[in-house]
Amino acid sequence: SRSNNLLEEDAVRVSTLNLVDLAGSESVRHTGATGERKKEGGKINQSLLTLSRVIASLGQPGSTHINFRDSKLTRILQPSLSGNARMAIICCATPSE
């Protein structure tokens, strides 16, 4: 009908692009980092672990509670990870020795 066509013409698509650089998440054992750099690497690793838990929970059917509040990273990405969202994750990793 005519009213249906008008609604489709006035529709607005909203998109969000999140680029996250997690450089510095290497193992302290391999980098020999100390002080602030060591603390920063630990926080990045903790955020990565939390992100992996959230993604795993989202992929499980029947999962009732997803804990986005465990890290700043998952809180920031929550709108992009949940709801009616399409997501792609690109990971570039080097082998550890």
Side-chain angles (χ1 to χ4, degrees), residues 31-47:
T31 62
T34 59
E36 285 297 315
R37 213 173 263 270
K38 181 178 177 181
K39 282 177 26 181
E40 180 184 351
K43 289 185 185 281
I44 291 171
N45 285 334
Q46 184 178 7
S47 289

Side-chain angles (χ1 to χ4, degrees), residues 49-59 66-68 74 81:
L49 178 62
T50 303
L51 179 61
S52 69
R53 286 182 183 153
V54 166
I55 291 171
S57 295
L58 288 168
I66 313 295
N67 197 357
F68 291 101
T74 52
L81 293 171

Side-chain angles (χ1 to χ4, degrees), residues 4-91:
N4 217 9
N5 289 338
L6 288 175
L7 289 176
E8 289 177 9
E9 290 175 12
D10 293 336
V12 176
R13 180 172 290 189
V14 177
S15 299
T16 302
L17 174 65
N18 294 302
L19 300 174
V20 180
D21 180 9
L22 296 172
S25 64
E26 298 86 7
S27 171
V28 172
R29 181 181 51 183
H30 294 293
T31 62
T34 59
E36 285 297 315
R37 213 173 263 270
K38 181 178 177 181
K39 282 177 26 181
E40 180 184 351
K43 289 185 185 281
I44 291 171
N45 285 334
Q46 184 178 7
S47 289
L48 279 173
L49 178 62
T50 303
L51 179 61
S52 69
R53 286 182 183 153
V54 166
I55 291 171
S57 295
L58 288 168
Q60 290 179 355
S63 184
T64 57
H65 178 70
I66 313 295
N67 197 357
F68 291 101
R69 303 183 120 211
D70 283 349
S71 79
K72 287 182 184 179
L73 177 64
T74 52
R75 269 186 264 153
I76 291 168
L77 294 177
Q78 182 176 359
S80 297
L81 293 171
S82 60
N84 188 18
R86 293 183 184 174
M87 174 180 47
I89 297 175
I90 299 171
C91 180

